[in-house]
Amino acid sequence: MRAVIQRVSSARVEVDGEVTGAIERGLLVYLGIGRGDGPKDSAFLLEKIVNARIFENAEGKFDKSLLDVGGALLVVSQFTLYGDLRRGRRPSFDGALPPEEAEPMYDAFVRDARTRGLPVATGRFRAHMHVSSLNDGPVTLWLDSAT
C-alpha cells in the first residue's frame, strides 16, 4: 500500500458538486492499494499515519501526532499512486490492485481508522473527485508499506 500524507488546515472532496467529505485540522491521505497488499500493509500504514509526529509542539518542533492534536483524517482512494511512467508516455497501472479487490481493502482501512476514535471523512471510491486542501507547512510525506 502507498499513501501520500499532507498535513492540512482543512480539506474537502466533492463528487458531482456534492461534498462527500471534509475536515478541518488533520491529515489528507491519498491511499493506493497495490497487488499483493493485505491486512498487514493496511495496519502498518494506519499505525504510521496516526502516530507520525508531524504536528508542531510549542517550540515549533515536530513532536505531536494526529492522535495528540485531536485531528481528523480525510482518506481519498488514489490508484494512480501505482502509475508507472518508466516506459512510454502513458502511465501503466498494472501495479494497482483491481478496483473490485481494492474497494473492500479501502473500506477496511477507513473502518479501522474510525475504531481509533478519529473523525474520518472520505471521498467516493471509483468516482471522479475534486479535492481541495489548505496544506499546512507545507508538510507532505510519502509512505509505502513494502519493505
Side-chain angles (χ1 to χ4, degrees):
M1 292 181 103
R2 292 182 177 159
V4 171
I5 305 153
Q6 294 184 320
R7 186 177 76 184
V8 297
S9 297
S10 63
R12 62 189 267 153
V13 178
E14 292 183 24
V15 176
D16 296 328
E18 171 195 348
V19 176
T20 62
I23 64 168
E24 293 301 317
R25 184 179 192 200
L27 298 174
L28 170 57
V29 177
Y30 292 104
L31 183 67
I33 303 167
R35 295 183 185 273
D37 287 340
K40 287 183 181 179
D41 298 283
S42 182
F44 173 82
L45 280 186
L46 184 57
E47 183 69 21
K48 286 288 188 181
I49 289 167
V50 301
N51 290 299
R53 294 176 6 178
I54 58 175
F55 291 87
E56 296 169 349
N57 64 17
E59 291 80 41
K61 295 186 181 193
F62 284 6
D63 192 40
K64 296 189 178 283
S65 71
L66 182 68
L67 294 171
D68 294 332
V69 302
L73 282 175
L74 176 56
V75 184
V76 177
S77 61
Q78 188 73 41
F79 77 94
T80 61
L81 292 178
Y82 280 91
D84 185 350
L85 277 168
R86 290 178 289 180
R87 295 188 323 196
R89 294 183 181 165
R90 181 175 303 159
S92 165
F93 298 106
D94 291 342
L97 195 63
E100 311 74 44
E101 298 172 53
E103 188 171 11
M105 292 182 68
Y106 170 82
D107 291 341
F109 181 91
V110 169
R111 187 174 50 253
D112 292 346
R114 287 181 174 140
T115 65
R116 293 177 177 251
L118 293 167
V120 180
T122 65
R124 187 173 298 148
F125 199 88
R126 293 183 89 171
H128 182 95
M129 296 176 267
H130 291 106
V131 181
S132 57
S133 65
L134 183 56
N135 198 324
D136 180 21
V139 175
T140 302
L141 299 167
W142 171 278
L143 184 58
D144 198 329
S145 67
T147 55

